[in-house]
């Protein structure tokens, strides 16, 4: 095993991380997303550090296929943006880069961060060593070099993955105040990922559950859809209900499920289990399909005493109210209403659903498509001209 060294205050070299080589872990190059591999290679060719980080490394060590390949780098967001034309800088509190590919695929690239003087991980960039100190759990603090096939481990994360346990890297009286969403992730890793949580970690979640009130709606929206797309949403939401987290995620649904209506609760979890089956067997990723499975059990539709247009609008409004405080795109909510109408045998009013707003990157995609078409036409003309010349000869 190799080791990574740093110089301490006395000027001496001390080991700060273990480096697992290709022979010491099960991850192979053919398991790495080709686009993520290309991004890290281009960043390295430009003189930056770049690693696949977090959940992807954890999943690969468990023998799973990651849904996302996030990348951490020493390059600043503007430097990443210059290297990838198909990218966009996002975020206010901390700026990230999303690199866009076909079919809605996005690879997230973040710059190494450090804590500021007040202990906040804002837009303060740092080194790899700084970055690992502000990550949430040991099993998510692994950095993978896809070119060398090395895992860099500062916190014995590989050991924890192999042992099926997780530990917080920050003090438990601080970590959930810094980022309340870590409580949701802890439940996901424990219930959905098979990692054991110690009683101290569970007690800390119980004590800090109300911190979720501070979570912005955009982040909560993202986390809810991650749960629905996990293939284990029924198990996760059941655990969120038990721990009290769900009342801060989807409070109206939480209240309805706790009303004592066993039939409603049974229909709700049966619907989630159907969604989980679709995700696992057919890779279902449409938000509209997820929303109709989440919300459908709470609504009974009938055209008696109304018309389909009014019913569509009333159902859309009910969906939005049930979803508060999360804010999915209106188009996705409309798609969920359309699917619910079809399930109930109700014809959807024509031209009532709005089309999604085009992405600001669509002109880039269209430009590439037009260039490809022009290139094909040019090649056809050249082939035809060559054929004519051959006939003349």
């Amino acid at each position: 095993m190799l080791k990574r060294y740093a110089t301490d205050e006395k000027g001496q070299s001390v080991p700060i991380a273990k480096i697992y080589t290709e022979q010491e872990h099960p991850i192979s190059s053919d398991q790495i997303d080709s686009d993520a591999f290309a991004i890290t290679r281009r960043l390295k060719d430009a003189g930056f550090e770049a690693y696949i980080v977090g959940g992807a490394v954890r999943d690969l060590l468990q023998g799973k296929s990651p849904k996302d390949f996030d990348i951490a780098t020493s390059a600043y967001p503007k430097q990443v943006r210059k290297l990838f034309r198909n990218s966009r800088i996002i975020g206010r509190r901390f700026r990230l880069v999303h690199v866009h590919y076909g079919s809605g695929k996005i690879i997230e690239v973040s710059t190494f961060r450090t804590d500021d003087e007040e202990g906040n991980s804002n837009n303060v960039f740092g080194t790899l060593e700084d970055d690992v100190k502000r990550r949430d759990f040991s099993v998510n603090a692994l950095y993978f070099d896809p070119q060398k096939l090395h895992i860099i481990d500062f916190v014995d994360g590989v050991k924890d993955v192999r042992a099926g346990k997780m530990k917080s890297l920050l003090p438990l009286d601080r970590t959930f105040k810094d980022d309340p969403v870590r409580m949701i992730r802890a439940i996901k890793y424990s219930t959905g990922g098979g990692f054991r949580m110690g009683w101290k970690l569970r007690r800390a979640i119980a004590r800090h559950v109300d911190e979720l009130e501070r979570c912005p709606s955009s982040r909560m929206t993202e986390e809810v859809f991650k749960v629905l797309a996990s293939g284990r949403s029924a198990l996760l939401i059941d655990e969120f209900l038990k721990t009290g987290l769900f009342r801060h995620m989807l409070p109206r649904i939480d209240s309805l499920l706790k009303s004592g209506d066993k039939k409603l609760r049974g229909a709700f979890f049966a619907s989630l289990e159907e969604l989980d089956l679709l995700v696992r067997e057919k890779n279902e990723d449409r938000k509209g399909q997820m929303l109709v499975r989440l919300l459908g059990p709470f609504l009974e539709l009938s055209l008696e005493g109304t018309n389909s247009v009014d019913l569509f609008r009333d159902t859309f409004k009910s969906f939005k109210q049930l979803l508060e405080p999360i804010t999915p795109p209106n188009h996705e909510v409309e798609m969920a209403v359309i699917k619910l109408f079809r399930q109930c045998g109700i014809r959807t009013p024509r031209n009532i659903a709005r089309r999604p707003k085009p992405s600001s990157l669509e002109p880039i995609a269209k430009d590439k498509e037009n260039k490809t078409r022009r290139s094909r036409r040019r090649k056809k003309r050249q082939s035809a001209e060559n054929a004519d010349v051959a006939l003349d000869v």
Side-chain angles (χ1 to χ4, degrees):
M1 179 184 293
L2 302 176
K3 292 187 178 181
R4 186 181 180 107
Y5 289 84
T7 303
D8 64 11
E9 296 177 354
K10 298 179 181 179
Q12 298 177 338
S13 293
V14 294
I16 59 171
K18 298 174 182 177
I19 300 176
Y20 292 83
T21 62
E22 182 180 359
Q23 293 76 27
E24 296 169 313
H25 63 76
I27 304 175
S28 60
S29 58
D30 58 3
Q31 294 176 285
I32 307 303
D33 179 272
S34 58
D35 293 320
F37 186 95
I39 290 172
T40 58
R41 183 174 58 190
R42 186 181 295 184
L43 285 165
K44 284 188 172 185
D45 289 345
F48 302 107
E49 288 184 89
Y51 303 94
I52 293 169
V53 68
V57 188
R58 180 195 68 229
D59 288 347
L60 288 169
L61 284 173
Q62 288 185 300
K64 299 177 182 178
S65 298
K67 285 192 173 183
D68 301 301
F69 282 82
D70 294 339
I71 292 170
T73 179
S74 59
Y76 291 174
K78 289 184 178 180
Q79 293 171 322
V80 178
R81 177 71 182 89
K82 287 181 180 179
L83 288 173
F84 301 96
R85 186 184 177 194
N86 55 324
S87 67
R88 177 194 299 163
I89 297 176
I90 66 164
R92 294 181 181 177
R93 181 170 176 263
F94 180 75
R95 311 205 79 187
L96 304 168
V97 179
H98 279 178
V99 184
H100 292 250
Y101 294 91
S103 304
K105 177 181 177 182
I106 296 174
I107 293 180
E108 185 173 282
V109 182
S110 62
T111 303
F112 297 148
R113 277 185 277 177
T114 186
D115 287 349
D116 61 22
E117 293 179 356
E118 297 179 355
N120 300 312
S121 294
N122 292 314
N123 216 11
V124 182
F125 301 128
T127 64
L128 173 59
E129 289 77 6
D130 295 325
D131 195 69
V132 72
K133 294 176 183 176
R134 44 144 301 274
R135 293 195 171 268
D136 51 6
F137 303 103
S138 57
V139 296
N140 289 333
L142 298 170
Y143 297 75
F144 182 70
D145 184 331
Q147 282 74 42
K148 294 181 178 179
L149 297 179
H150 286 177
I151 297 175
I152 302 178
D153 182 4
F154 293 83
V155 295
D156 279 335
V158 171
K159 183 179 178 180
D160 286 350
V161 171
R162 290 172 175 172
K165 66 179 182 180
M166 56 188 289
K167 63 176 182 282
S168 175
L169 297 181
L170 293 172
L172 290 176
D173 61 352
R174 171 191 162 188
T175 183
F176 300 132
K177 291 181 180 179
D178 284 359
D179 187 357
V181 169
R182 288 173 180 159
M183 289 183 281
I184 295 176
R185 292 175 182 165
I187 299 297
K188 284 167 58 179
Y189 304 147
S190 176
T191 303
F195 292 103
R196 299 187 306 276
M197 280 198 295
W199 70 271
K200 289 184 179 180
L201 182 53
R202 287 189 175 277
R203 185 179 64 179
I205 290 175
R207 287 180 173 178
H208 293 90
V209 63
D210 290 337
E211 294 289 340
L212 273 178
E213 283 290 339
R214 300 188 292 105
C215 181
S217 62
S218 57
R219 286 200 70 198
M220 187 62 77
T221 301
E222 180 183 1
E223 290 301 321
V224 168
F225 277 110
K226 285 181 179 179
V227 169
L228 295 175
S230 68
R232 297 181 178 84
S233 65
L235 286 172
L236 291 174
I237 289 178
D238 186 44
E239 190 65 21
F240 292 142
L241 284 163
K242 292 176 182 177
T243 56
L245 295 179
F246 201 60
R247 71 175 182 265
H248 298 293
M249 298 170 69
L250 292 167
R252 291 181 182 242
I253 296 178
D254 178 85
S255 179
L256 289 169
L257 291 174
K258 292 178 178 177
S259 65
D261 190 334
K262 294 182 179 180
K263 185 178 179 180
L264 175 62
R265 187 183 180 95
F268 174 71
F269 280 101
S271 182
L272 290 180
E273 287 169 359
E274 291 174 1
L275 171 62
D276 292 339
L277 194 63
L278 286 172
V279 171
R280 291 195 300 266
E281 294 188 353
K282 298 185 178 181
N283 296 317
E284 179 62 66
D285 61 357
R286 291 171 295 177
K287 289 184 173 65
Q289 183 67 261
M290 295 175 189
L291 289 175
V292 76
R293 298 287 177 176
L294 177 72
L295 305 175
F298 300 99
L299 295 173
E300 293 182 6
L301 302 189
S302 173
L303 275 174
E304 292 183 12
T306 186
N307 57 59
S308 61
V309 173
D310 288 341
L311 181 62
F312 189 97
R313 289 171 177 164
D314 289 344
T315 306
F316 175 85
K317 183 178 179 181
S318 296
F319 270 30
K320 294 285 284 186
Q321 290 173 342
L322 284 169
L323 289 169
E324 292 177 354
I326 74 168
T327 54
N330 284 339
H331 174 72
E332 300 293 355
V333 180
E334 289 170 341
M335 290 299 101
V337 176
I338 289 172
K339 292 178 186 298
L340 184 59
F341 267 46
R342 289 173 181 169
Q343 288 179 13
C344 297
I346 300 173
R347 189 171 182 177
T348 305
R350 294 183 62 186
N351 301 324
I352 195 168
R354 288 161 285 189
R355 295 188 176 186
K357 293 181 180 180
S359 165
S360 62
L361 291 175
E362 279 189 11
I364 295 175
K366 289 182 179 179
D367 183 48
K368 289 183 177 180
E369 184 178 348
N370 291 335
K371 286 182 178 179
T372 301
R373 288 177 178 174
R374 288 195 295 270
S375 176
R376 288 173 180 170
R377 288 197 295 267
R378 186 166 57 251
K379 288 180 179 178
K380 284 183 179 180
R381 286 198 301 269
Q382 290 175 348
S383 297
E385 291 171 358
N386 292 338
D388 292 339
V389 171
L391 289 173
D392 290 341
V393 173

